[in-house]
Coordinates of all heavy atoms in Angstrom, one line a residue:
M1 N 79.5 198.2 45.4 CA 80.6 198.9 46.0 C 80.6 200.3 45.7 O 80.4 200.7 44.5 CB 81.9 198.3 45.5 CG 83.1 198.9 46.1 SD 84.6 198.1 45.5 CE 85.3 199.5 44.8
R2 N 80.7 201.2 46.7 CA 80.8 202.6 46.4 C 82.2 203.0 46.1 O 83.2 202.6 46.8 CB 80.3 203.3 47.7 CG 80.3 204.8 47.5 CD 79.6 205.5 48.7 NE 80.6 205.2 49.9 CZ 80.3 205.5 51.1 NH1 79.1 205.9 51.4 NH2 81.1 205.3 52.1
A3 N 82.4 203.8 45.1 CA 83.7 204.2 44.6 C 84.3 205.2 45.6 O 83.6 205.9 46.3 CB 83.7 204.8 43.2
C4 N 85.6 205.1 45.8 CA 86.3 206.1 46.6 C 86.5 207.4 45.8 O 86.6 207.4 44.6 CB 87.7 205.6 47.0 SG 87.6 204.1 48.0
S5 N 86.4 208.5 46.5 CA 86.5 209.8 45.8 C 87.9 210.4 46.0 O 88.5 210.3 47.0 CB 85.5 210.8 46.4 OG 85.8 211.0 47.8
Q6 N 88.4 210.9 44.9 CA 89.7 211.7 44.9 C 90.8 211.0 45.6 O 91.6 211.6 46.3 CB 89.5 213.1 45.4 CG 88.4 213.8 44.7 CD 88.1 215.1 45.4 OE1 88.4 215.4 46.5 NE2 87.4 216.0 44.7
G7 N 91.0 209.7 45.3 CA 92.2 209.0 45.8 C 92.1 208.7 47.3 O 93.1 208.4 47.9
S8 N 91.0 208.8 47.9 CA 90.9 208.5 49.3 C 90.9 207.0 49.6 O 90.8 206.2 48.7 CB 89.5 209.0 49.9 OG 88.4 208.4 49.2
A9 N 91.1 206.6 50.8 CA 91.2 205.2 51.2 C 89.8 204.6 50.9 O 88.8 205.3 50.9 CB 91.5 205.0 52.7
P10 N 89.7 203.2 50.8 CA 88.4 202.6 50.5 C 87.5 202.9 51.7 O 87.9 202.9 52.9 CB 88.8 201.1 50.4 CG 90.2 201.1 50.2 CD 90.8 202.3 50.7
S11 N 86.2 203.0 51.4 CA 85.2 203.2 52.4 C 85.0 201.9 53.2 O 85.4 200.8 52.7 CB 83.9 203.7 51.8 OG 83.4 202.6 51.0
Q12 N 84.4 202.0 54.3 CA 84.0 200.8 55.1 C 83.1 199.9 54.2 O 83.3 198.7 54.3 CB 83.3 201.2 56.4 CG 83.0 200.0 57.3 CD 84.3 199.4 57.8 OE1 85.3 200.0 58.0 NE2 84.3 198.1 58.0
E13 N 82.2 200.5 53.5 CA 81.3 199.7 52.6 C 82.1 198.9 51.6 O 81.9 197.7 51.3 CB 80.3 200.6 51.9 CG 79.3 199.9 51.0 CD 78.4 200.9 50.4 OE1 77.9 201.8 51.1 OE2 78.2 200.8 49.2
A14 N 83.1 199.6 51.0 CA 84.0 198.9 50.0 C 84.8 197.8 50.6 O 84.9 196.7 50.0 CB 84.9 199.9 49.3
L15 N 85.3 198.0 51.8 CA 86.1 197.0 52.4 C 85.3 195.8 52.8 O 85.7 194.6 52.6 CB 86.7 197.5 53.7 CG 87.9 198.5 53.5 CD1 88.3 199.1 54.8 CD2 89.1 197.9 52.8
E16 N 84.1 196.0 53.3 CA 83.2 194.9 53.6 C 82.7 194.2 52.4 O 82.6 192.9 52.4 CB 82.0 195.4 54.4 CG 82.4 195.9 55.8 CD 81.2 196.6 56.6 OE1 80.2 196.8 56.0 OE2 81.5 197.0 57.7
G17 N 82.5 194.9 51.3 CA 82.2 194.3 50.0 C 83.3 193.3 49.6 O 83.0 192.2 49.0
G18 N 84.5 193.7 49.8 CA 85.7 192.9 49.4 C 85.7 191.6 50.2 O 86.1 190.5 49.7
L19 N 85.3 191.7 51.5 CA 85.3 190.5 52.3 C 84.3 189.5 51.8 O 84.4 188.3 51.9 CB 85.1 190.9 53.8 CG 86.2 191.7 54.5 CD1 85.7 192.1 55.8 CD2 87.4 190.9 54.5
E20 N 83.1 190.0 51.3 CA 82.1 189.2 50.9 C 82.4 188.6 49.5 O 82.1 187.4 49.3 CB 80.8 190.0 50.8 CG 80.2 190.4 52.2 CD 79.1 191.4 52.0 OE1 78.6 191.6 50.9 OE2 78.7 191.9 53.1
T21 N 83.0 189.3 48.6 CA 83.2 188.8 47.2 C 84.6 188.4 47.0 O 84.9 187.8 46.0 CB 82.8 190.0 46.2 OG1 83.7 191.1 46.5 CG2 81.4 190.4 46.4
G22 N 85.5 188.7 47.9 CA 86.9 188.4 47.6 C 87.7 189.4 46.8 O 87.0 190.2 46.1
F23 N 89.0 189.3 46.8 CA 89.8 190.2 45.9 C 91.1 189.6 45.7 O 91.5 188.6 46.4 CB 89.9 191.6 46.5 CG 90.6 191.7 47.9 CD1 92.0 191.8 47.9 CD2 89.9 191.5 49.0 CE1 92.6 191.9 49.2 CE2 90.6 191.5 50.3 CZ 91.9 191.7 50.3
F24 N 91.9 190.1 44.8 CA 93.2 189.7 44.5 C 94.2 190.7 44.7 O 94.1 191.8 44.2 CB 93.3 189.3 43.0 CG 92.4 188.1 42.6 CD1 91.1 188.3 42.4 CD2 92.9 186.8 42.6 CE1 90.3 187.2 42.1 CE2 92.1 185.7 42.3 CZ 90.8 185.9 42.0
E25 N 95.2 190.5 45.6 CA 96.2 191.4 46.0 C 97.5 190.9 45.4 O 97.9 189.7 45.6 CB 96.4 191.6 47.5 CG 97.5 192.6 47.9 CD 97.5 192.8 49.4 OE1 96.5 192.9 50.0 OE2 98.7 192.7 49.9
Q26 N 98.2 191.7 44.6 CA 99.4 191.3 43.9 C 100.5 192.4 44.2 O 100.3 193.6 44.1 CB 99.2 191.3 42.4 CG 100.4 190.9 41.6 CD 100.1 190.8 40.1 OE1 99.1 191.3 39.7 NE2 100.9 190.1 39.4
A27 N 101.7 191.8 44.5 CA 102.9 192.7 44.8 C 103.2 193.4 43.5 O 103.1 192.9 42.4 CB 104.0 191.9 45.2
T28 N 103.5 194.7 43.6 CA 103.9 195.5 42.4 C 105.4 195.8 42.3 O 105.8 196.4 41.4 CB 103.1 196.8 42.4 OG1 103.3 197.6 43.6 CG2 101.6 196.5 42.2
A29 N 106.1 195.5 43.4 CA 107.5 195.7 43.4 C 108.1 194.8 44.5 O 107.4 194.3 45.4 CB 107.9 197.2 43.7
A30 N 109.4 194.6 44.5 CA 110.0 193.8 45.6 C 109.9 194.5 46.9 O 109.9 195.8 47.0 CB 111.5 193.7 45.2
P31 N 109.8 193.8 48.0 CA 109.7 194.4 49.3 C 111.0 195.2 49.6 O 112.1 194.9 49.2 CB 109.7 193.2 50.3 CG 109.2 192.0 49.4 CD 109.7 192.3 48.1
T32 N 110.8 196.3 50.4 CA 111.9 197.1 50.9 C 112.1 196.7 52.4 O 111.1 196.8 53.1 CB 111.6 198.6 50.8 OG1 111.4 198.9 49.4 CG2 112.7 199.4 51.3
V33 N 113.2 196.3 52.8 CA 113.5 195.9 54.1 C 114.6 196.7 54.8 O 115.7 196.9 54.2 CB 113.9 194.4 54.2 CG1 114.2 193.9 55.6 CG2 112.9 193.5 53.5
Q34 N 114.3 197.3 55.9 CA 115.3 197.9 56.7 C 115.4 197.1 58.0 O 114.4 196.9 58.7 CB 114.9 199.4 57.0 CG 114.9 200.3 55.8 CD 114.5 201.7 56.2 OE1 113.7 201.9 57.1 NE2 115.1 202.6 55.5
R35 N 116.7 196.7 58.3 CA 116.8 195.9 59.5 C 118.0 196.4 60.4 O 119.0 196.9 59.9 CB 117.2 194.5 59.0 CG 117.4 193.5 60.1 CD 117.7 192.1 59.5 NE 118.2 191.2 60.6 CZ 118.8 190.1 60.4 NH1 119.0 189.6 59.2 NH2 119.2 189.4 61.5
W36 N 117.8 196.3 61.7 CA 118.8 196.6 62.7 C 118.7 195.5 63.7 O 117.7 195.5 64.5 CB 118.6 198.0 63.2 CG 119.8 198.4 64.0 CD1 121.0 198.9 63.6 CD2 119.9 198.3 65.5 NE1 121.9 199.1 64.6 CE2 121.2 198.8 65.8 CE3 119.1 198.0 66.5 CZ2 121.7 198.9 67.1 CZ3 119.5 198.0 67.8 CH2 120.8 198.5 68.1
Q37 N 119.7 194.7 63.8 CA 119.7 193.6 64.8 C 118.4 192.8 64.7 O 118.1 192.2 63.6 CB 120.0 194.1 66.2 CG 121.4 194.7 66.3 CD 121.8 195.1 67.7 OE1 121.0 194.9 68.6 NE2 122.9 195.7 67.8
G38 N 117.6 192.7 65.7 CA 116.4 191.9 65.8 C 115.1 192.6 65.4 O 114.1 192.1 65.6
L39 N 115.3 193.8 64.8 CA 114.1 194.6 64.4 C 114.2 194.7 62.9 O 115.2 194.9 62.3 CB 114.1 195.9 65.0 CG 114.1 196.0 66.5 CD1 114.2 197.4 67.0 CD2 112.7 195.4 67.0
A40 N 113.0 194.7 62.2 CA 112.9 194.9 60.8 C 111.6 195.7 60.4 O 110.6 195.4 61.1 CB 112.9 193.6 60.0
Q41 N 111.7 196.5 59.5 CA 110.6 197.2 58.9 C 110.5 196.8 57.4 O 111.5 196.9 56.7 CB 110.8 198.8 59.0 CG 109.7 199.6 58.3 CD 108.4 199.6 59.0 OE1 108.3 199.5 60.2 NE2 107.3 199.6 58.3
V42 N 109.4 196.3 57.0 CA 109.2 195.8 55.7 C 108.0 196.5 55.0 O 106.9 196.6 55.5 CB 108.9 194.3 55.7 CG1 108.7 193.7 54.3 CG2 109.9 193.5 56.5
W43 N 108.3 197.1 53.8 CA 107.3 197.7 53.0 C 107.0 196.9 51.7 O 108.0 196.5 51.0 CB 107.7 199.1 52.6 CG 107.8 200.1 53.7 CD1 108.6 200.0 54.8 CD2 107.0 201.3 53.9 NE1 108.3 201.1 55.7 CE2 107.4 201.9 55.1 CE3 106.0 201.8 53.1 CZ2 106.8 203.0 55.6 CZ3 105.4 203.0 53.6 CH2 105.8 203.6 54.8
T44 N 105.8 196.6 51.5 CA 105.4 195.8 50.3 C 104.3 196.5 49.5 O 103.2 196.6 49.9 CB 104.9 194.4 50.6 OG1 103.8 194.5 51.5 CG2 106.1 193.6 51.3
P45 N 104.6 197.1 48.4 CA 103.6 197.8 47.6 C 102.7 196.8 46.9 O 103.2 195.7 46.5 CB 104.4 198.6 46.6 CG 105.7 198.0 46.5 CD 106.0 197.3 47.8
Y46 N 101.5 197.1 46.7 CA 100.5 196.2 46.1 C 99.5 196.8 45.2 O 99.3 198.1 45.2 CB 99.8 195.4 47.2 CG 98.9 196.2 48.1 CD1 97.7 196.6 47.7 CD2 99.4 196.6 49.3 CE1 96.9 197.4 48.6 CE2 98.7 197.4 50.2 CZ 97.4 197.8 49.8 OH 96.6 198.6 50.6
A47 N 98.8 196.0 44.4 CA 97.6 196.4 43.6 C 96.5 195.4 43.9 O 96.8 194.3 44.1 CB 98.0 196.4 42.1
I48 N 95.3 196.0 44.0 CA 94.1 195.1 44.3 C 93.2 195.1 43.1 O 92.9 196.2 42.5 CB 93.4 195.6 45.5 CG1 94.2 195.4 46.8 CG2 92.0 194.9 45.7 CD1 93.6 196.0 48.1
R49 N 92.7 193.9 42.8 CA 91.7 193.7 41.7 C 90.6 192.9 42.3 O 90.8 192.1 43.2 CB 92.4 192.9 40.5 CG 93.5 193.6 39.9 CD 94.1 192.7 38.8 NE 95.0 193.4 37.9 CZ 96.2 193.8 38.2 NH1 96.8 193.4 39.3 NH2 97.0 194.4 37.3
R50 N 89.4 193.0 41.7 CA 88.2 192.3 42.1 C 88.2 190.9 41.4 O 87.7 189.9 41.9 CB 86.9 193.0 41.8 CG 86.7 194.2 42.6 CD 86.3 193.9 44.0 NE 86.3 195.1 44.8 CZ 86.1 195.1 46.0 NH1 86.0 194.0 46.7 NH2 86.1 196.3 46.7
A51 N 88.8 190.8 40.2 CA 88.9 189.6 39.5 C 90.4 189.4 39.1 O 91.1 190.4 38.9 CB 88.0 189.6 38.2
A52 N 90.8 188.2 38.9 CA 92.2 187.9 38.6 C 92.8 188.7 37.5 O 93.9 189.2 37.5 CB 92.4 186.4 38.4
G53 N 92.0 188.8 36.4 CA 92.5 189.6 35.2 C 91.8 190.9 35.1 O 92.0 191.6 34.1
G54 N 91.1 191.4 36.2 CA 90.4 192.6 36.1 C 91.3 193.9 36.2 O 92.5 193.7 36.5
P55 N 90.7 195.0 36.1 CA 91.5 196.3 36.3 C 91.9 196.5 37.7 O 91.2 196.0 38.7 CB 90.5 197.3 35.8 CG 89.1 196.8 36.1 CD 89.3 195.3 35.9
V56 N 93.0 197.2 37.9 CA 93.4 197.6 39.2 C 92.5 198.6 39.8 O 92.2 199.6 39.2 CB 94.8 198.1 39.2 CG1 95.3 198.7 40.6 CG2 95.8 197.1 38.7
E57 N 91.9 198.3 41.0 CA 91.0 199.3 41.6 C 91.6 200.1 42.7 O 91.2 201.2 43.0 CB 89.8 198.5 42.2 CG 88.9 197.9 41.1 CD 87.6 197.3 41.6 OE1 87.1 197.8 42.7 OE2 87.1 196.3 41.0
Y58 N 92.6 199.5 43.4 CA 93.3 200.2 44.5 C 94.8 199.8 44.4 O 95.2 198.8 44.0 CB 92.8 199.8 45.8 CG 91.4 200.1 46.1 CD1 90.4 199.2 45.9 CD2 91.0 201.4 46.4 CE1 89.1 199.5 46.1 CE2 89.7 201.7 46.7 CZ 88.7 200.8 46.5 OH 87.4 201.1 46.7
T59 N 95.6 200.8 44.8 CA 97.0 200.5 45.0 C 97.4 201.0 46.4 O 96.7 201.8 47.0 CB 97.9 201.3 44.0 OG1 97.7 202.7 44.2 CG2 97.6 200.9 42.6
G60 N 98.5 200.5 46.9 CA 98.9 200.9 48.3 C 100.1 200.2 48.7 O 100.9 199.6 47.9
V61 N 100.4 200.2 50.0 CA 101.5 199.6 50.6 C 101.2 199.0 51.9 O 100.4 199.5 52.7 CB 102.7 200.7 50.7 CG1 102.3 201.7 51.8 CG2 104.0 200.0 51.1
N62 N 101.7 197.8 52.2 CA 101.7 197.2 53.5 C 103.0 197.6 54.2 O 104.1 197.5 53.7 CB 101.6 195.7 53.4 CG 100.3 195.2 52.8 OD1 99.2 195.7 53.1 ND2 100.4 194.3 51.9
A63 N 102.9 197.9 55.5 CA 104.0 198.3 56.3 C 104.0 197.3 57.5 O 103.1 197.3 58.3 CB 104.0 199.7 56.8
L64 N 105.0 196.5 57.6 CA 105.1 195.4 58.7 C 106.3 195.8 59.6 O 107.4 196.1 59.1 CB 105.3 194.1 58.1 CG 104.2 193.5 57.3 CD1 104.4 193.9 55.8 CD2 104.1 192.0 57.4
Q65 N 106.1 195.7 60.9 CA 107.2 195.8 61.8 C 107.4 194.4 62.4 O 106.4 193.7 62.8 CB 106.9 196.8 63.0 CG 106.8 198.2 62.5 CD 106.5 199.1 63.6 OE1 105.9 198.7 64.6 NE2 106.7 200.4 63.3
C66 N 108.6 193.9 62.4 CA 108.9 192.5 62.8 C 110.0 192.5 63.8 O 110.9 193.3 63.9 CB 109.3 191.7 61.6 SG 108.2 191.8 60.2
I67 N 110.0 191.4 64.6 CA 111.1 191.1 65.6 C 111.6 189.7 65.4 O 110.8 188.8 65.0 CB 110.6 191.4 67.1 CG1 109.5 190.4 67.4 CG2 110.3 192.8 67.3 CD1 109.2 190.4 69.0
W68 N 112.8 189.5 65.7 CA 113.5 188.1 65.6 C 113.6 187.6 67.1 O 114.1 188.3 67.9 CB 114.8 188.3 65.0 CG 115.6 187.0 64.9 CD1 116.7 186.7 65.7 CD2 115.4 185.9 64.0 NE1 117.1 185.4 65.4 CE2 116.4 184.9 64.3 CE3 114.5 185.7 63.0 CZ2 116.4 183.7 63.6 CZ3 114.5 184.5 62.3 CH2 115.5 183.5 62.6
D69 N 113.1 186.4 67.3 CA 113.2 185.9 68.7 C 114.3 184.9 68.9 O 114.3 184.2 69.8 CB 111.8 185.3 69.1 CG 111.5 184.0 68.4 OD1 112.3 183.6 67.5 OD2 110.5 183.4 68.7
G70 N 115.2 184.8 67.9 CA 116.2 183.8 67.9 C 116.0 182.6 67.1 O 116.9 181.8 66.8
K71 N 114.7 182.4 66.7 CA 114.3 181.2 65.9 C 113.6 181.6 64.7 O 113.7 181.0 63.6 CB 113.4 180.3 66.8 CG 114.1 179.7 68.0 CD 113.2 178.8 68.7 CE 113.9 178.2 70.0 NZ 113.0 177.4 70.8
R72 N 112.7 182.7 64.7 CA 112.0 183.1 63.6 C 111.6 184.5 63.7 O 111.6 185.1 64.8 CB 110.7 182.2 63.5 CG 109.8 182.3 64.6 CD 108.4 181.7 64.4 NE 107.6 182.7 63.7 CZ 106.3 182.6 63.4 NH1 105.7 181.6 63.8 NH2 105.7 183.5 62.8
W73 N 111.1 185.1 62.6 CA 110.6 186.5 62.6 C 109.1 186.5 62.9 O 108.4 185.6 62.5 CB 110.8 187.1 61.2 CG 112.2 187.5 60.9 CD1 113.1 186.8 60.2 CD2 112.9 188.6 61.4 NE1 114.3 187.4 60.1 CE2 114.2 188.6 60.9 CE3 112.5 189.7 62.1 CZ2 115.1 189.6 61.1 CZ3 113.4 190.7 62.4 CH2 114.8 190.6 61.9
W74 N 108.7 187.4 63.8 CA 107.3 187.6 64.1 C 106.8 189.0 63.7 O 107.6 190.0 63.9 CB 107.2 187.5 65.7 CG 107.4 186.2 66.2 CD1 108.6 185.7 66.6 CD2 106.5 185.1 66.4 NE1 108.4 184.3 67.1 CE2 107.1 184.0 66.9 CE3 105.1 185.0 66.1 CZ2 106.5 182.8 67.2 CZ3 104.4 183.8 66.4 CH2 105.1 182.8 66.9
I75 N 105.7 189.1 63.1 CA 105.1 190.3 62.8 C 104.4 190.9 64.0 O 103.6 190.3 64.6 CB 104.0 190.2 61.7 CG1 104.7 189.7 60.4 CG2 103.3 191.6 61.4 CD1 103.7 189.3 59.3
T76 N 104.9 192.1 64.5 CA 104.3 192.7 65.7 C 103.3 193.8 65.3 O 102.5 194.1 66.2 CB 105.5 193.3 66.5 OG1 106.2 194.3 65.7 CG2 106.4 192.3 67.0
H77 N 103.4 194.3 64.1 CA 102.5 195.4 63.7 C 102.3 195.3 62.2 O 103.3 195.2 61.5 CB 103.0 196.7 64.2 CG 102.0 197.8 63.9 ND1 100.9 198.1 64.6 CD2 102.0 198.7 62.8 CE1 100.3 199.1 64.1 NE2 100.9 199.5 63.0
L78 N 101.1 195.5 61.8 CA 100.8 195.6 60.3 C 99.9 196.8 60.1 O 98.9 197.0 60.8 CB 100.1 194.4 59.8 CG 99.5 194.5 58.4 CD1 100.5 194.7 57.3 CD2 98.6 193.2 58.1
A79 N 100.3 197.7 59.2 CA 99.5 198.8 58.8 C 99.5 198.9 57.3 O 100.4 198.3 56.6 CB 100.1 200.1 59.4
F80 N 98.4 199.4 56.7 CA 98.4 199.5 55.3 C 97.7 200.8 54.9 O 96.9 201.4 55.7 CB 97.7 198.3 54.6 CG 96.2 198.2 55.0 CD1 95.3 198.8 54.2 CD2 95.8 197.5 56.1 CE1 93.9 198.7 54.5 CE2 94.5 197.4 56.5 CZ 93.5 198.0 55.7
E81 N 98.0 201.3 53.7 CA 97.4 202.5 53.2 C 97.0 202.2 51.8 O 97.9 201.7 51.0 CB 98.4 203.7 53.3 CG 97.8 205.0 52.9 CD 96.8 205.6 53.9 OE1 97.0 205.3 55.1 OE2 95.9 206.2 53.5
S82 N 95.8 202.5 51.4 CA 95.3 202.3 50.0 C 94.7 203.5 49.5 O 94.3 204.4 50.2 CB 94.2 201.2 50.0 OG 94.7 200.0 50.5
A83 N 94.8 203.6 48.2 CA 94.1 204.7 47.4 C 93.5 204.2 46.2 O 94.0 203.2 45.6 CB 95.1 205.8 47.1
A84 N 92.4 204.8 45.7 CA 91.8 204.4 44.5 C 92.8 204.5 43.4 O 93.5 205.5 43.3 CB 90.5 205.2 44.2
A85 N 92.8 203.5 42.5 CA 93.7 203.6 41.3 C 93.3 204.8 40.4 O 92.1 205.1 40.3 CB 93.7 202.3 40.5
A86 N 94.3 205.4 39.8 CA 94.0 206.5 38.8 C 93.2 205.9 37.7 O 93.5 204.8 37.2 CB 95.3 207.1 38.4
P87 N 92.2 206.6 37.2 CA 91.5 206.2 36.0 C 92.4 206.2 34.8 O 93.3 207.0 34.7 CB 90.3 207.2 35.9 CG 90.8 208.4 36.6 CD 91.7 207.9 37.7
P88 N 92.1 205.3 33.8 CA 92.9 205.3 32.6 C 92.8 206.6 31.8 O 91.7 207.3 31.9 CB 92.3 204.2 31.8 CG 91.0 203.9 32.3 CD 91.0 204.4 33.7
P89 N 93.9 207.1 31.2 CA 93.8 208.4 30.5 C 92.8 208.3 29.3 O 92.6 207.3 28.7 CB 95.2 208.6 30.0 CG 95.9 207.2 30.0 CD 95.2 206.4 31.1
K90 N 92.1 209.4 29.1 CA 91.2 209.5 28.0 C 92.0 209.7 26.7 O 92.9 210.4 26.6 CB 90.2 210.6 28.2 CG 89.3 210.3 29.4 CD 88.3 211.4 29.5 CE 87.4 211.1 30.8 NZ 86.4 212.1 31.0
R91 N 91.5 209.1 25.6 CA 92.1 209.2 24.3 C 91.3 210.1 23.4 O 90.2 210.3 23.4 CB 92.3 207.9 23.7 CG 93.2 207.0 24.4 CD 93.4 205.7 23.7 NE 94.3 204.9 24.6 CZ 95.3 204.2 24.1 NH1 95.5 204.0 22.8 NH2 96.0 203.4 24.9

């Protein structure tokens, strides 16, 4: 996997590598929900690791737009933004 430079989003190569090897996405905070009648915007921050106990490689947020059809919520749009995790401070 090629590392991302200066906090940029993961490269296509990095994303494809994650599809081949898998990754672990974990929520880092409770979702933020803004709702008006049958529309909702949901933001869910996350951290990505290559191994369950491994270091965080990327952090980001999922942004979902949802609609209520009277029976259930449907996701109409999903966008996400990721950045390389900050390296640990040097001691």
Side-chain angles (χ1 to χ4, degrees):
M1 178 181 122
R2 185 174 64 191
C4 296
S5 62
Q6 301 174 346
S8 62
S11 66
Q12 185 66 31
E13 181 180 316
L15 290 173
E16 290 171 359
L19 292 175
E20 293 172 6
T21 62
F23 63 92
F24 295 84
E25 181 176 314
Q26 180 179 18
T28 57
T32 300
V33 180
Q34 292 181 325
R35 181 178 167 193
W36 190 80
Q37 296 185 3
L39 300 174
Q41 174 73 34
V42 182
W43 289 64
T44 58
Y46 62 82
I48 293 178
R49 295 174 167 83
R50 294 284 174 190
V56 173
E57 293 190 29
Y58 297 98
T59 59
V61 66
N62 294 315
L64 297 89
Q65 292 178 344
C66 306
I67 61 167
W68 177 256
D69 71 356
K71 296 180 183 176
R72 62 167 277 191
W73 286 99
W74 292 90
I75 297 171
T76 59
H77 183 79
L78 166 65
F80 64 92
E81 185 72 33
S82 296
K90 294 183 180 182
R91 294 183 182 218

